């Protein structure tokens, strides 16, 4: 395994300071993103990447020393009222906030020169909805494109950024059918994106077969 993203929670003894931590692989400090989780007992959420040889194990040490290591290609986010641009090093992704359709455009920096030119475009904007469900009772297609209620970052830092989008599917007449939550997670230095997709039945008195 090479530079595999790892996310895990670590509990701290009550009263322990929850800032100025760093992660070590033996005598070498490695880049880590640390988020303090709310709760009575302090918990730290660690995001880092691990490289482990086949049939071997690795032990990391969390030290109460300020971190100084940074990833070679951190996650960066640029955002305005209409769109979000995320770069991870090898990958650049454009996401629309006004007409959310998963990804609008995507580039892959194949020659690793830090630029995303027209020849490296791997996904172009689509006139079709990329977010659909089928009503299993009627066979009708319900569309989720642009029907968003909330777009916000759950995590946004150098090692990992997770964007949460809450929206709704509507039928051809524009009536709400069922809601969804989509989480899109980007990792430093990686070209893959993790997309988690959840249907949320907000119509308790009705069955929604999809």
């Amino acid at each position: 395994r090479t530079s595999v993203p790892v996310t895990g929670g670590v509990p701290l003894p009550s009263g322990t300071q929850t800032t100025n931590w760093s992660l070590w692989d033996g005598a070498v400090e490695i880049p880590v993103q640390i988020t303090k989780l709310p709760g009575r007992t302090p918990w730290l959420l660690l995001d880092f990447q691990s490289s482990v040889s086949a049939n071997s194990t690795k032990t990391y040490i969390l030290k109460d020393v300020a971190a100084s290591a940074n990833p070679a290609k951190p996650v960066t986010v640029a955002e305005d009222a209409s769109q979000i641009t995320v770069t991870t090093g090898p990958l650049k992704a454009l996401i629309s906030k006004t007409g959310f359709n998963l990804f609008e455009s995507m580039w892959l920096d194949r020659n690793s020169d830090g630029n995303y030119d027209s020849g490296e475009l791997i996904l172009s904007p689509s006139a079709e909805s990329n977010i659909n469900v089928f009503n299993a009772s009627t066979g009708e297609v319900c569309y989720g494109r642009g029907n968003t209620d909330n777009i916000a970052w759950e995590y946004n830092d150098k090692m990992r950024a997770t964007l949460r989008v809450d929206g709704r599917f509507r039928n051809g007449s524009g009536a709400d059918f069922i809601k969804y939550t989509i989480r899109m997670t980007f990792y430093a230095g990686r070209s893959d994106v993790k997309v988690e997709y959840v249907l949320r039945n907000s119509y308790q008195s009705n069955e929604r077969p999809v």
Side-chain angles (χ1 to χ4, degrees):
R1 299 176 183 271
T2 303
S3 300
V4 175
V6 178
T7 298
V10 177
L12 301 177
S14 180
T16 304
Q17 64 99 1
T18 54
T19 58
N20 298 325
W21 292 91
S22 55
L23 192 65
W24 296 74
D25 179 2
V28 179
E29 182 187 359
I30 65 172
V32 63
Q33 176 177 318
I34 300 179
T35 305
K36 179 184 176 182
L37 297 178
R40 181 174 300 177
T41 300
W43 277 75
L44 299 179
L45 184 68
L46 308 183
D47 281 287
F48 60 98
Q49 295 183 9
S50 178
S51 297
V52 184
S53 301
N55 301 316
S56 65
T57 62
K58 182 166 287 191
T59 300
Y60 295 95
I61 303 171
L62 185 65
K63 297 183 180 182
D64 57 348
V65 177
S68 60
N70 291 299
K73 297 180 178 180
V75 177
T76 62
V77 175
E79 183 174 357
D80 58 27
S82 63
Q83 65 184 25
I84 299 170
T85 303
V86 184
T87 59
T88 65
L91 185 75
K92 175 182 176 180
L94 179 65
I95 302 164
S96 174
K97 296 172 67 175
T98 56
F100 178 73
N101 197 28
L102 289 180
F103 302 104
E104 286 296 302
S105 303
M106 190 172 286
W107 295 259
L108 186 62
D109 183 15
R110 294 187 177 92
N111 58 7
S112 301
D113 66 350
N115 298 311
Y116 307 93
D117 57 42
S118 58
E120 295 176 321
L121 182 69
I122 60 174
L123 180 67
S124 300
S126 173
E128 304 295 327
S129 176
N130 293 327
I131 321 168
N132 306 322
V133 296
F134 293 89
N135 185 331
S137 296
T138 66
E140 183 180 23
V141 180
C142 298
Y143 305 95
R145 177 177 182 171
N147 303 325
T148 52
D149 299 319
N150 184 60
I151 299 178
W153 291 100
E154 290 187 328
Y155 302 95
N156 183 359
D157 209 335
K158 60 186 179 181
M159 295 299 299
R160 172 172 73 103
T162 299
L163 182 69
R164 172 174 174 162
V165 180
D166 298 308
R168 61 190 66 211
F169 291 101
R170 290 175 175 161
N171 60 25
S173 301
D176 289 344
F177 178 66
I178 198 170
K179 293 184 178 182
Y180 65 79
T181 293
I182 293 175
R183 288 180 172 88
M184 310 162 76
T185 299
F186 303 84
Y187 301 98
R190 294 184 63 93
S191 59
D192 53 322
V193 181
K194 181 180 180 180
V195 179
E196 299 170 284
Y197 180 40
V198 180
L199 293 178
R200 297 191 293 115
N201 188 0
S202 55
Y203 302 91
Q204 298 297 328
S205 60
N206 297 294
E207 184 180 69
R208 292 289 188 265
V210 298

